[in-house]
Amino acid sequence: MQLFVNDLTVMDFSYLCPRRGMVGESWIVDVILDGGLNEESMVLDFSKVKKQLKRLIDEHVDHKLLVPAEHQYAKVKHDPLTDQVNLDFLRPDGRSIHLHCPPEAYAFIYSEEVTMDSVSQYLKEIIATELPDNVQGLTLMLREERIDEPYYHYTHGLKKHDGNCQRIAHGHRSRVKVTKDGQPCRESAAYWATRWQDIYIGTREDMAERAALHLSEHAEALDFSEHYLFAYESSQGLFELVIPKAESDLIDTDSTVECLAQFMADEHKRLAPTHDYQVFAFEGVGKGAIAYA
């Protein structure tokens, strides 16, 4: 007997890619359980599937930075005194990425690349230990939202958030819609799909001096003149990030979806002040904010 649950949850996270850098992503999760019937004549109660499996996925992937731990670029060191983890992703040509964060900010995928297959295997091994004896098989199907309009992948951190959004490197795959003088304007939406393709969106007030950062031995000798340096402390701990300027964009506000929507609308108004704009900015799948300028 098989039990299926479609759209179990959406995982919003970022991952490190040797080619693209830091990539914000949103994957939808479908699940199939194989097993015999229990004393309730069920494979597993739907409420337990939705609650338990979603909890495990959220705990181990959602709002984290996924690291391909077996890739040659990835260097990880845990400091037992501070319980912080230094991560160096030593991409060539000055494109290295460095973090100093609590361990909960990361998920280490033991593969050379973060893919749907490698993440599915990672989650299956975790979930399998929590399933009842009558469940003998588990299939996780990860998929992207189908988007037929412009979209972008972005990463950010929200230091004022009291939940996991405060982690400095988590992200989303997000569609964007723009109307110009009341009419849909695909060209304006495409502008953001290009500008914010695989981008880190940082807040200027979170920029830090090099001397204040807890750099690893791998990072100490590197030239960061073409990098942005960020640091902040929130309820989950201290978060630091060094990332190439070419893969970042700076804003003056927090990077909530509300602020991003307004930033986008204001930018269009600045570029074409005689027109009126409405921006629908999504944060992952099925949610977002609307702003006007």
Side-chain angles (χ1 to χ4, degrees):
M1 179 66 68
Q2 290 185 313
L3 186 77
F4 70 90
V5 178
N6 293 333
D7 303 307
L8 174 66
T9 190
V10 177
M11 305 185 303
D12 290 307
F13 62 94
S14 290
Y15 69 94
L16 293 174
C17 174
R19 297 169 302 281
R20 297 168 63 185
M22 188 177 286
V23 183
E25 191 57 273
S26 300
W27 288 348
I28 302 166
V29 182
D30 302 324
V31 62
I32 297 176
L33 300 176
D34 292 88
L37 300 183
N38 61 17
E39 64 277 4
E40 298 175 299
S41 298
M42 299 177 179
V43 176
L44 189 63
D45 190 296
F46 278 121
S47 65
K48 292 182 178 179
V49 175
K50 293 178 180 178
K51 188 178 297 182
Q52 294 178 0
L53 270 63
K54 184 181 186 306
R55 174 184 59 81
L56 289 168
I57 291 168
D58 289 348
E59 181 180 340
H60 290 278
V61 171
D62 195 55
H63 285 76
K64 290 178 180 278
L65 177 67
L66 275 57
V67 181
E70 295 183 353
H71 197 280
Q72 62 177 337
Y73 293 169
K75 309 297 180 185
V76 182
K77 184 175 182 180
H78 177 258
D79 184 344
L81 295 178
T82 64
D83 198 29
Q84 292 279 109
V85 174
N86 274 82
L87 170 65
D88 300 286
F89 201 58
L90 301 172
R91 298 158 69 213
D93 303 325
R95 298 179 300 144
S96 62
I97 297 172
H98 309 270
L99 295 102
H100 177 80
C101 301
E104 294 79 15
Y106 309 98
F108 295 102
I109 309 300
Y110 286 91
S111 172
E112 289 197 353
E113 292 204 38
V114 174
T115 65
M116 288 187 179
D117 286 343
S118 63
V119 175
S120 178
Q121 184 61 37
Y122 168 78
L123 285 171
K124 283 173 65 176
E125 292 173 1
I126 292 168
I127 293 171
T129 64
E130 301 281 336
L131 294 174
D133 292 340
N134 68 298
V135 178
Q136 289 107 35
L138 168 67
T139 303
L140 284 175
M141 294 160 290
L142 309 181
R143 57 186 169 90
E144 296 177 334
E145 176 190 23
R146 180 175 177 179
I147 301 177
D148 297 322
E149 55 201 352
Y151 65 90
Y152 49 86
H153 298 257
Y154 76 100
T155 301
H156 67 153
L158 302 174
K159 65 179 179 294
K160 299 173 186 174
H161 194 269
D162 61 1
N164 294 336
C165 291
Q166 67 188 260
R167 295 168 181 168
I168 201 167
H170 75 276
H172 314 271
R173 175 180 182 260
S174 301
R175 67 175 73 198
V176 58
K177 300 179 181 180
V178 181
T179 66
K180 179 180 179 180
D181 298 328
Q183 299 299 316
C185 184
R186 190 179 181 91
E187 179 182 359
S188 295
Y191 169 83
W192 295 105
T194 300
R195 177 170 170 174
W196 282 354
Q197 179 183 14
D198 300 342
I199 201 75
Y200 185 82
I201 301 176
T203 300
R204 281 191 172 87
E205 73 174 19
D206 296 333
M207 297 177 72
E209 296 295 329
R210 180 178 181 132
L213 299 185
H214 298 77
L215 299 175
S216 71
E217 62 271 21
H218 297 290
E220 280 288 1
L222 298 178
D223 177 9
F224 289 150
S225 60
E226 294 302 317
H227 285 67
Y228 288 129
L229 285 61
F230 300 98
Y232 58 74
E233 193 157 5
S234 58
S235 62
Q236 291 187 5
L238 175 64
F239 294 88
E240 299 176 357
L241 169 66
V242 179
I243 191 165
K245 293 179 180 179
E247 298 172 359
S248 310
D249 204 351
L250 295 177
I251 61 175
D252 293 323
T253 64
D254 294 323
S255 56
T256 63
V257 69
E258 295 91 339
C259 291
L260 294 181
Q262 193 61 60
F263 175 83
M264 297 157 84
D266 291 344
E267 184 72 356
H268 282 301
K269 191 71 171 180
R270 182 185 68 82
L271 295 171
T274 61
H275 297 283
D276 295 323
Y277 290 92
Q278 182 183 32
V279 172
F280 296 77
F282 284 70
E283 184 184 73
V285 179
K287 61 188 188 297
I290 305 171
Y292 304 84

